[in-house]
Amino acid sequence: MSDEHIVKSYDEELQHLNDSLVQMGSLTEKLLYDSMNAITTVDKDAVSKIVESDAKINKFRSSIDQHIMTILVKRSPVAIDLRYAISTLKISQDLERIGDLAKGNAKKILPLPDDLPPEMLKRIESLGEMVQKQLKSTLDCFIEKSVQKSLDTIKSDEQVNDLATASIKEVLEFLSKDKKNLDFATNLLFVCKNLERAGDHLSRICQNVHYLIEGDYPQK
Amino acid sequence: MELENKRESKVISKNIDVFYGDKQALFGIDLEIYKNEVTALIGPSGCGKSTFLRCINRMNDVIDICKITGEIEIDNFNIYKPDVDVVRLREKVGMVFQKPNPFPKSIYDNIAYGPSIHGIAKDKNEMDHIVETSLQKAALWNEVKDRLHEPGTGLSGGQQQRLCIARAISINPEIILMDEPCSALDPIATAKIEELIDSLKRSFTIVIVTHSMSQAARVSQRTGFFHLGKLIEMGETEKIFKNPNNTMTQDYITGRFG
Ligand SMILES: Nc1ncnc2c1ncn2[C@@H]1O[C@H](COP(=O)(O)OP(=O)(O)OP(=O)(O)O)[C@@H](O)[C@H]1O
Ligand SMILES: [Mg+2]
């Protein structure tokens, strides 16, 4: 943000908000990584830790809520400060949802069937990696307050959608070959869909970063 | 929100410069004030808000060292033309000040004074009517109707301010200028005045100077930001407070001014 406020504690409050959101973001990054890792390595023991991290992310969200309310009450923010308060409120909601989706995925761990084509798993792995990459650039665009980066990140969500669609198609083909894989394949469909949704939340975050900086949402 | 194209100009300031002796207080002010809207003027102390407000009813004329160049048009008529009747002008453009300043007279006489010197009321009946409707429009009637002959100075600060607004209204002005009308009032009295301002804009064009950003945001449709005698930015109030164009405006309204 530009210059400092006359009231120093106001700057500190905004800085604290910024830091909390960045911390929340890196926890979400870790959670998403752990969740994908647990699925592909069939690591059921990781689930309880993942549930814990998700709870921590939820706590961040509610403390950010409280903090923003305090700022609204104490400072009656306007212009950039108002947009900052509103957009961080929304961004923290989207991060929380991404945490929920990653946790939901981890809870769906099932042993890999013997006849699972390795490319299929690979593709879902790369879908996960792609969403992780999107999350990283989303957090960067918030940290750097970069309009260009937010536009680029929104644009590359299309690739997430394409890969998710391709993966879903592949899982359905796999399922149609042998109905005994119904449970596994259904879970995998959820995983793909959740990753795609996580991508949508990331785009929304980028839109809110754009709003924060420019005062409007990017043109479709 | 009214649409831009339905708006009608009431006051147009064209290149107004104001000097107090050698010291220039306003620099080339160009702005437009729309009819039946509330326009807020904001800016740091000493930036020239009150000076500009006083240009609109030529109150600066009474300050000897004050020199003004440029034009102010009201309804497309330049009020700085040499032959303008300043008394008529001030009938048309009323003013309310920061500190409520009722005359040391009864509530009734506070209101009746203006209409009587301007010869607006024909008889006692008509005057009673003007007093009542003015107090009603100023949302004060119910509180004072049983004590009209008590002194105006015996009212609370907020009531006194509404009395001054009633007094301004009583001579049927078209424009009401308000210079920090709530700065001496508590939140309840302030809320009443703000509510009143909102209802008055149906009949009048209002220009208000305020140091409260939230008040400007609440009562006005357009806001102008002054700094060091210049109009830095003028626009829709919502735009100014959500996403101003000028960084100076943003710095001021967000409290970043050094
Ligand atoms: N009667 C006067 N004689 C000399 N200088 C004056 C006079 N009135 C105002 N000024 C000067 O003109 C400048 C603008 O003053 P003005 O009162 O218009 O500011 P303002 O924006 O209304 O400030 P505030 O918010 O403190 O009321 C200031 O530098 C002030 O000192
Ligand atoms: Mg003033």
Side-chain angles (χ1 to χ4, degrees), chain B residues 2-25:
Chain B
E2 269 144 304
L3 292 170
E4 193 90 30
N5 58 17
K6 275 167 64 187
R7 287 173 154 173
E8 199 180 315
S9 282
K10 185 71 186 174
V11 181
I12 301 176
S13 168
K14 293 181 175 170
N15 200 23
I16 286 284
D17 286 333
V18 176
F19 296 83
Y20 293 106
D22 293 339
K23 194 180 168 293
Q24 190 163 0

Side-chain angles (χ1 to χ4, degrees), chain A residues 3 5-6 79 81 83 214, chain B residues 241-243 254-257:
Chain A
D3 284 329
H5 286 91
I6 297 161
D81 300 329
R83 301 204 303 273
E214 298 281 314
Chain B
F241 288 101
K242 287 179 185 167
N243 189 17
T254 59
R256 284 183 170 86
F257 240 51

Side-chain angles (χ1 to χ4, degrees), chain B:
Chain B
M1 207 64 250
E2 269 144 304
L3 292 170
E4 193 90 30
N5 58 17
K6 275 167 64 187
R7 287 173 154 173
E8 199 180 315
S9 282
K10 185 71 186 174
V11 181
I12 301 176
S13 168
K14 293 181 175 170
N15 200 23
I16 286 284
D17 286 333
V18 176
F19 296 83
Y20 293 106
D22 293 339
K23 194 180 168 293
Q24 190 163 0
L26 288 178
F27 298 81
I29 305 299
D30 287 310
L31 63 76
E32 211 172 328
I33 288 161
Y34 296 124
K35 194 175 169 182
N36 298 116
E37 282 193 17
V38 181
T39 300
L41 306 180
I42 60 170
S45 192
C47 68
K49 305 177 295 292
S50 300
T51 299
F52 181 74
L53 208 60
R54 288 196 299 264
C55 289
I56 304 174
N57 64 350
R58 291 187 55 171
M59 284 281 275
N60 287 323
D61 289 16
V62 301
I63 303 170
D64 279 341
I65 57 165
C66 188
K67 294 276 164 301
I68 299 162
T69 63
E71 292 181 5
I72 288 198
E73 288 181 355
I74 296 180
D75 297 328
N76 301 314
F77 180 81
N78 178 14
I79 62 166
Y80 282 96
K81 273 194 181 157
D83 54 343
V84 166
D85 177 350
V86 178
V87 176
R88 269 286 300 138
L89 172 70
R90 297 203 187 123
E91 219 177 289
K92 211 165 151 174
V93 187
M95 191 151 185
V96 175
F97 299 88
Q98 174 173 9
K99 264 183 71 186
N101 56 349
F103 306 132
K105 290 167 180 267
S106 70
I107 293 169
Y108 186 97
D109 287 342
N110 260 278
I111 313 290
Y113 178 79
S116 69
I117 60 163
H118 289 289
I120 291 172
K122 278 201 306 282
D123 51 29
K124 174 83 172 62
N125 258 348
E126 206 167 314
M127 188 60 90
D128 287 351
H129 179 73
I130 290 173
V131 170
E132 179 172 344
T133 52
S134 304
L135 286 168
Q136 254 159 2
K137 280 187 198 154
L140 189 59
W141 174 249
N142 287 334
E143 288 160 65
V144 301
K145 60 172 188 272
D146 301 322
R147 49 197 279 212
L148 289 176
H149 297 286
E150 289 172 28
T153 47
L155 297 170
S156 76
Q159 289 171 328
Q160 286 186 24
Q161 196 60 303
R162 278 178 282 149
L163 180 64
C164 294
I165 293 173
R167 191 175 65 189
I169 293 169
S170 66
I171 55 171
N172 269 322
E174 293 170 19
I175 300 167
I176 303 174
L177 310 174
M178 300 185 173
D179 199 347
E180 301 180 47
C182 301
S183 61
L185 305 181
D186 78 0
I188 304 282
T190 299
K192 284 186 185 162
I193 303 276
E194 288 180 1
E195 176 73 8
L196 175 59
I197 289 173
D198 197 58
S199 70
L200 291 178
K201 78 170 193 283
R202 256 170 279 149
S203 328
F204 309 98
T205 300
I206 296 169
V207 188
I208 178 173
V209 168
T210 176
H211 281 287
S212 159
M213 299 303 103
S214 51
Q215 177 166 70
R218 283 191 299 267
V219 301
S220 73
Q221 285 69 57
R222 286 179 15 111
T223 296
F225 169 61
F226 284 75
H227 180 54
L228 295 176
K230 295 190 173 116
L231 178 68
I232 303 297
E233 180 169 357
M234 176 129 199
E236 299 305 309
T237 296
E238 285 210 15
K239 169 89 172 105
I240 298 276
F241 288 101
K242 287 179 185 167
N243 189 17
N245 288 326
N246 192 289
T247 45
M248 268 209 260
T249 314
Q250 170 145 301
D251 285 349
Y252 177 70
I253 63 175
T254 59
R256 284 183 170 86
F257 240 51

Side-chain angles (χ1 to χ4, degrees), chain A residues 92-123:
Chain A
S92 71
Q93 285 168 359
D94 282 312
L95 284 175
E96 187 195 351
R97 290 293 298 135
I98 293 168
D100 290 343
L101 293 168
K103 178 187 72 176
N105 278 355
K107 281 182 156 175
K108 303 218 175 303
I109 296 174
L110 280 181
L112 308 178
D114 299 333
D115 55 348
L116 179 73
E119 353 36 284
M120 203 176 106
L121 194 63
K122 265 261 153 321
R123 202 189 291 273

